[in-house]
Structure formats: structure tokens, C-alpha cells
Amino acid sequence: MNAAETLRLHISKTTNLSPEQFDYFYSQFTPLSFKKGQAIISEGDKVEHEYFVLNGCLKSFYINDEGKMFILQFAMPTWWASDYNALYSGNPATSNVDCITNVEILRISNTDREKICKEIHEVEYFFRWRVNRSYVATQKRLLLLMNSDAKHRYEELMKQYPELYNLVPKHLIAAYLGVSRETLSRLYHS
Amino acid sequence: MNAAETLRLHISKTTNLSPEQFDYFYSQFTPLSFKKGQAIISEGDKVEHEYFVLNGCLKSFYINDEGKMFILQFAMPTWWASDYNALYSGNPATSNVDCITNVEILRISNTDREKICKEIHEVEYFFRWRVNRSYVATQKRLLLLMNSDAKHRYEELMKQYPELYNLVPKHLIAAYLGVSRETLSRLYHS
């Protein structure tokens, strides 16, 4: 599937755009390729774009003062990623986004998203529902982190995203779950 | 300030509605009063509404199988609350919303919100930005929970919402921070 078709199918699950509306919507995006390990957003950057993943896998992460990494999100095909706090506020990035694999993405700027949301009501509807779903997913994850032990969190993650098991190195899954590499190892074999 | 003015001021920070648009928007809401301790949403309920707080304070919370309570959110004046997972999915509520104080709210149904978002583009814009902000706040809280000790989480909460200190009983602040009442006591006196 080419980039336009991937995006068209993704949007069509939420709203209907006419072919002309979709073509105009798609024209706001820039296709880009990155190599495994490349950084897309680094802490301190001015953030002006968000990213729709076509192929591969991104991670967004935070590194604390002691150098420990925390994973906020993995982004697989048809997922969106950015440092949304920085993107919306104009403040410098506090988190990072980089490539776990080679990655193809579509990039759109905050300015162009706002412009097209204003021009096409259905696009505004699409983005509202995209963030509604992200908000609910983040609330669920918060509750899981407060309420569950590492074993349960690991099982939930693998149930929800079984493809992560093969795609993502184990130390990154540990950083997502907020456990040590050793704890995760025990979970694999229990 | 009366209910309509409170809502009008709240909306005007995000978008401009004409007086006629606002009156129509406001007509979608039902004002309601609840007493301290009353439940608004209980686990297992069908959830059809969300709530805009005019006066007082709500909490949304989850109780696990061992009877331990986790607070997802406090909702003070001009904050919104519901079980959004249940509201958006149609599944029964997995969390609860009740009143920490006597409360006055404006209630809107999911159906009416969707209708008015479709009818008035600026209303869709308002709700998109409301959830953008909630999403970013929840991501920040997630990171704080993964990365910080209880003392830092307590200090951040009090810096962000100093009014909670007097409004909310200490055992509920402990349930929000994910610490025991005893740990919180130590933080107060440290």
C-alpha cells in the first residue's frame, strides 16, 4: 500500500472525506525516511511537526537526570507521534522521538494541521477523535501503572500489541513498563 | 457568576462563539446539583454524559479487586469529568465519579455534544483543544508517576493545584499520588 492509501484507509475509519478533500489533506504532508537509530525529536528542540508512521517503529522517550530512560510510547504503522506538550505549547521538547527500525513517515506541521482543521470540518472531527482515543489509552495506562504489578502490565502490553514482542528490543519494553531489564527477564520465563 | 457566564468565559479562552451560537450551545446543557458524597457515575453504569463543574469538587476513581482506591482525577470549577472510556465506547463504566463537596455542574450528553460539534465547527474546535490539553496533562502525570518519588509528585501536585490542599481530604490526595496515607503524612511534615 502506498503512503496516500495508508493514510486514506486510516482516516476512513473515523470520517469520510471526498476524493478532492483527501487529496488536499494529503498535500499537507511530507513523506520522509529515517534510518534505525536516527533521532527525529531531541530534548530541547523546537517542535513544529507531528508524524504519522507508515512503516517501522518509533519510540518517544524521556531521560531523567540520572540518565534513566522512560518510554512514553511506541509508534507502529498508522500511529502518530510527537512531543505534544512541546508541539502545542511552543516550549522546547522535554522528550525525544527516535527510530527503533528503519522508518517511513508522513510529517505535518502544527500550522498546517490547524489550517486544514479550520478549512475542512471533517478533518477537525478526525483529529478530535484521534486525540479522544489517545487520551483514553493514556488514562488506562496510568491506571495500570498505579494498580498493577509488572507481570500484569507486561501481559496487558503483549495482549494489546503482540507485534511488539518481535519488533522491540527487550530493554525498551522494560523501559516502557517502568521495570528493570532483570525483572522483565523473570517475567518472560515465568 | 451564573452558570452560563462561567461556561461562556471558559469557552472564550479557546474559541469565539457568537451570542446566538453560545445560547444554542448552552441550551444543550442541564444544570444539576449534587450533595457531598453523592455518586454521579458508578462502576457498571451505562455512561451517557459528561460534566462541567461550576462549583465544588468531584473525584473520578477506580477501586481494585482488593478494595484499594486509585484517584484518576480531581475536577474543580471549569474542569470536565466523566468515565471517558465508557462514554466513548458504550461499554459499562469501569471507574466512578462522586462529589467531594456539594457540587453544581452542567451536564451534556455524548449525543448532544456530537450533534453540536457537527452543527457548529467552532464547538468541534473547542472540544478538540480541550482534549489535547487533557491528553498532554495525562502524559505528564504518567511520566511523573514513572520517574518521580512520592515527595516530588506531592510537590508538583501542590504547585500545580494549591487549592487542593484545603479542598481535598488527605487520604484522597494519597490515593491520587499512589502512596499510603502514612507516606503522605511524612511528606507533609518534611
Side-chain angles (χ1 to χ4, degrees):
Chain A
M1 207 182 317
N2 69 25
E5 277 166 21
T6 303
L7 184 62
R8 192 197 312 268
L9 185 64
H10 173 68
I11 301 278
S12 73
K13 291 176 180 169
T14 303
T15 193
N16 291 312
L17 300 183
S18 71
E20 295 72 27
Q21 284 176 326
F22 179 78
D23 290 345
Y24 179 59
F25 180 60
Y26 184 69
S27 74
Q28 308 301 311
F29 288 85
T30 306
L32 293 169
S33 297
F34 292 91
K35 289 186 179 154
K36 179 178 173 176
Q38 263 193 287
I40 298 181
I41 295 173
S42 296
E43 196 181 324
D45 283 356
K46 184 165 170 54
V47 178
E48 291 175 322
H49 299 94
E50 62 175 321
Y51 304 93
F52 175 73
V53 179
L54 295 165
N55 285 299
C57 187
L58 302 175
K59 70 176 190 286
S60 75
F61 61 104
Y62 171 80
I63 297 178
N64 75 5
D65 293 342
E66 287 82 47
K68 190 173 167 194
M69 177 194 292
F70 299 88
I71 304 235
L72 276 164
Q73 198 202 334
F74 297 114
M76 292 178 288
T78 77
W79 293 27
W80 297 74
S82 188
D83 177 332
Y84 284 100
N85 181 38
L87 186 69
Y88 295 153
S89 68
N91 295 330
T94 52
S95 62
N96 307 268
V97 175
D98 74 9
C99 303
I100 297 179
T101 64
N102 290 345
V103 164
E104 291 172 54
I105 53 160
L106 292 175
R107 185 184 78 178
I108 186 170
S109 73
N110 198 54
T111 309
D112 287 341
R113 177 179 20 72
E114 290 306 300
K115 177 173 67 84
I116 199 160
C117 278
K118 196 164 185 165
E119 288 172 340
I120 306 182
H121 190 158
E122 288 76 9
V123 171
E124 182 117 51
Y125 176 84
F126 164 74
F127 278 107
R128 180 167 65 88
W129 274 97
R130 190 203 65 184
V131 66
N132 279 346
R133 286 187 286 262
S134 300
Y135 174 54
V136 165
T138 307
Q139 276 202 328
K140 277 189 191 173
R141 185 160 167 224
L142 183 69
L143 205 53
L144 211 57
L145 193 64
M146 291 177 86
N147 180 37
S148 302
D149 59 17
K151 185 175 167 58
H152 184 217
R153 298 209 297 276
Y154 173 70
E155 286 166 356
E156 282 293 312
L157 183 69
M158 290 299 130
K159 199 165 69 184
Q160 217 178 345
Y161 311 114
E163 62 273 40
L164 282 178
Y165 187 88
N166 292 318
L167 203 58
V168 174
K170 301 306 167 271
H171 72 279
L172 296 182
I173 292 183
Y176 180 93
L177 295 173
V179 300
S180 71
R181 180 73 185 81
E182 293 69 36
T183 303
L184 187 69
S185 253
R186 281 201 304 277
L187 299 178
Y188 276 115
H189 302 105
S190 63
Chain B
M1 210 184 315
N2 71 25
E5 277 167 22
T6 303
L7 184 62
R8 192 197 313 266
L9 185 64
H10 173 67
I11 301 278
S12 73
K13 291 174 181 172
T14 303
T15 191
N16 291 313
L17 300 182
S18 71
E20 295 71 29
Q21 284 176 326
F22 179 78
D23 289 346
Y24 179 59
F25 179 60
Y26 185 68
S27 75
Q28 308 300 311
F29 288 85
T30 307
L32 292 169
S33 296
F34 292 91
K35 288 184 180 158
K36 179 178 173 175
Q38 263 193 288
I40 297 180
I41 296 174
S42 295
E43 195 181 322
D45 283 356
K46 184 167 171 51
V47 178
E48 292 174 321
H49 299 93
E50 62 175 321
Y51 303 94
F52 175 74
V53 179
L54 296 165
N55 284 299
C57 187
L58 301 175
K59 70 175 188 286
S60 76
F61 61 103
Y62 170 80
I63 297 179
N64 76 4
D65 292 343
E66 287 83 47
K68 190 173 167 192
M69 176 195 291
F70 298 88
I71 304 236
L72 277 164
Q73 197 203 334
F74 297 113
M76 292 178 287
T78 75
W79 294 26
W80 297 75
S82 187
D83 178 331
Y84 284 101
N85 181 39
L87 185 69
Y88 295 153
S89 68
N91 294 330
T94 51
S95 62
N96 306 268
V97 176
D98 74 8
C99 303
I100 297 180
T101 64
N102 290 345
V103 164
E104 289 172 56
I105 53 157
L106 291 175
R107 185 184 77 180
I108 186 169
S109 73
N110 198 54
T111 308
D112 288 340
R113 177 181 18 74
E114 290 306 300
K115 177 173 67 83
I116 200 160
C117 278
K118 195 163 186 163
E119 289 170 340
I120 305 180
H121 191 158
E122 289 77 9
V123 171
E124 183 118 51
Y125 176 84
F126 164 73
F127 279 108
R128 179 167 66 87
W129 275 97
R130 189 202 66 182
V131 66
N132 279 347
R133 285 187 286 261
S134 300
Y135 174 55
V136 165
T138 308
Q139 275 203 329
K140 276 189 191 173
R141 186 162 166 221
L142 184 68
L143 204 53
L144 212 56
L145 193 64
M146 291 177 87
N147 179 36
S148 302
D149 59 17
K151 185 174 169 59
H152 184 217
R153 298 210 296 277
Y154 172 71
E155 287 165 354
E156 282 293 311
L157 183 69
M158 289 300 130
K159 199 165 68 184
Q160 217 177 347
Y161 310 115
E163 61 273 42
L164 281 179
Y165 186 89
N166 292 317
L167 204 58
V168 173
K170 301 303 167 274
H171 72 280
L172 296 182
I173 291 183
Y176 179 92
L177 295 172
V179 300
S180 70
R181 179 73 184 80
E182 293 68 35
T183 303
L184 187 68
S185 254
R186 281 199 305 277
L187 299 179
Y188 276 115
H189 302 104
S190 63

